[in-house]
Amino acid sequence: MTGKDLFQEIGMIDEKYVIEAQETKRSFIHNVVFRRSLVSAACLVVCVGVYFAIQMTGGSMNEATQAPQSFDQMVENSMSAEKEDAPMEWLQDENVRGDESAMPECEDSGFNSETSGDANVEMNSQMPTESLLEQIEERLAEYPDDFEDICQTEAFVVSYKSVLNGLEGWENFVADTQESMATSIDVVRFTVEGDPIITCVYYDGERYYVLEDNTRDAFTGNNVGITQRTFENMIMWQEEDWVEVVWTNEEDLNKEKLASMESKDYFLLTYPIGE
Amino acid sequence: MEDSQIIELYWQRSESAITETANKYGKLCRHIAMNIVGNFSDAEECENDTYVATWNAIPPTRPSVFSAFLSKIARNIALNKYEYNKAQKRNNEFDLVLDELEGCIAGRSTVEESYEQGMIAAAIDEFLESLSKEKRVIFVRRYWYSDSVKDIAKRMQISESKVKIVLFRVRNELQDFLAEREILI
C-alpha cells in the first residue's frame, strides 16, 4: 500500500465528514472580536465579583491605611458613582487590559465556528467598527520595512515582475468575496525606489474598505499616513500574463473608463501570473 | 438554485444543469482540483471534466448530497490528471500530502486478504468518528481536499504550527488504529 492508495481510500470516506469540513470555517471577525469580547467579559465579571466581595466583607482596598469610617460614610462611599465605576476604570486601564496574562485565562469555548455556509454569510455581513479599523491601521504600521521580513508575513506581496509571497492567501480572499464572506488581505507593493506600500483590503460581506499605509514611501510628499476608502465593487480581468484588480464604486467598468477616472476613485492592483 | 432542482435538470437532460452546477459549485471543484494539480489550466480542465462525468453519471444516479458527489468526482479526476502530469511537472504541495500519508504507513504493509477496496475507508470512517471535530476537520481538509497547511491554519484561525502538530498526531493515531484492526501489520 502506498501513500497514494491511502489517499484514494480516504477519498471514499462518508460524505458527512467531507461536508462538515467544507462548511466549517472560523471567520476572521468572529474569531478576533469573539475572543476579545470573551476576555473583556470575563474581566468584567471578575471585577464585579471582587467589588461585591469587598463590599460584602465591609472592607475597602485602602482599609488598612485609612481611619475607620462611620457607617454613614461607608454607605455614602458605596453609593457614590466614583466607587461604582472603579471596576470599569480598572478595566479601561490599557496597561491592564492590554496585558492578557493579568486576566483570567479564557480558553476558546470549543469549536464554535459556524457549521453551515448560510450561517457564514448571515453572520459575517457586518460593517467594521471603528475599533477594528484602528486595529487594522495599527497592524499595518507594525509591518517590517525590510523586504525579506515582509516576505515572511502572510501578506500578498507583488512586484512588477512576479508574485513574491502569499498567492494562496490572495486566492482564498478572492474565493471568500465571491461567497460574500467577510475576509481581508494585506497587499504589499513596492515603489520604483523599493519602498513598500502596505494596503489592507477588508471585505465585510458587502463593501470593501481599503486602508493604505504609505508612511514608508520616501517620496509621498505631504500625503503621509494611512488613508481609508470604501468601495462597492471588486472587478478583475486578465490579459495575457497579467491580472488586474480594481476596487471601485463603478459597476460597468472597462479599461477606457478606468483610464479616465481619478485615482482617488479606485484602487488598482496588478500582478503577473504564471511561473 | 437548490441542489434538488439542479439534479432534476440533469434528469431532464437540460443543458442548463451544467450552467447551474458551474455557478454554484465551480469554485469548489476548481479549488479541489487546484490543490492536487497545482496550476490553473489543469484545474479548469479537471473542472470541465467533472461536469462531463456528472452529466454521464446523472441519471441513473441521484446523489443525496450534490456538493459531496461533485467534490468526489473532481478529486478523482484531479488525481488522475496529477498522475498523468507527474512525469513532466511536480506539484510540490500535493506531493507533500502524499509523502505525509506515505509516512503514515511507513514500515507496514496491508494484510492482503482484508485489503478490499472501500474496507479501509470504512475503518477510516470509524477512526474519524472517534476524533474531536477540530482534528477531524483539519485531517479531512488536508487529506481529502489537499489544502495546504497555511490554508488550513487560516481557515481554522490557528497557527500553522498547531496544524502541523495536529496532523502529525492524527497520522500516528490512524496508523495505530489501522494496526489494531489488523489492516496494517
Side-chain angles (χ1 to χ4, degrees), chain A residues 31-43 46 90-91 93-108 135:
Chain A
N31 204 47
V32 170
V33 174
F34 180 72
R35 282 187 178 176
R36 294 190 181 187
S37 301
L38 262 183
V39 169
S40 300
C43 293
V46 167
W90 179 83
L91 190 64
D93 183 348
E94 277 195 14
N95 290 331
V96 179
R97 186 189 61 196
D99 178 16
E100 292 193 355
S101 65
M103 301 175 184
E105 190 170 339
C106 300
E107 290 185 0
D108 196 335
Q135 288 169 18

Side-chain angles (χ1 to χ4, degrees), chain A residues 72-200:
Chain A
D72 288 339
Q73 279 179 326
M74 285 170 65
V75 169
E76 186 183 353
N77 287 340
S78 71
M79 297 277 290
S80 72
E82 229 176 277
K83 193 80 171 180
E84 284 174 358
D85 284 342
M88 293 304 295
E89 286 176 358
W90 179 83
L91 190 64
Q92 288 166 11
D93 183 348
E94 277 195 14
N95 290 331
V96 179
R97 186 189 61 196
D99 178 16
E100 292 193 355
S101 65
M103 301 175 184
E105 190 170 339
C106 300
E107 290 185 0
D108 196 335
S109 59
F111 203 72
N112 291 327
S113 65
E114 309 79 36
T115 55
S116 75
D118 291 341
N120 274 335
V121 173
E122 194 178 88
M123 192 171 172
N124 291 330
S125 294
Q126 297 173 5
M127 280 181 60
T129 61
E130 277 193 24
S131 165
L132 177 62
L133 293 174
E134 285 172 12
Q135 288 169 18
I136 294 174
E137 288 186 3
E138 285 172 15
R139 193 182 77 246
L140 294 180
E142 286 170 1
Y143 259 86
D145 299 326
D146 182 70
F147 167 78
E148 287 180 0
D149 290 339
I150 288 174
C151 287
Q152 297 298 315
T153 68
E154 293 188 0
F156 182 47
V157 185
V158 301
S159 74
Y160 72 96
K161 280 186 185 175
S162 62
V163 173
L164 301 166
N165 188 62
L167 180 59
E168 286 178 10
W170 164 251
E171 289 168 358
N172 289 338
F173 170 80
V174 173
D176 287 346
T177 60
Q178 288 172 349
E179 286 188 2
S180 299
M181 289 171 62
T183 184
S184 73
I185 186 81
D186 290 348
V187 178
V188 181
R189 300 164 297 159
F190 296 90
T191 66
V192 173
E193 293 78 24
D195 298 325
I197 305 290
I198 304 167
T199 307
C200 174

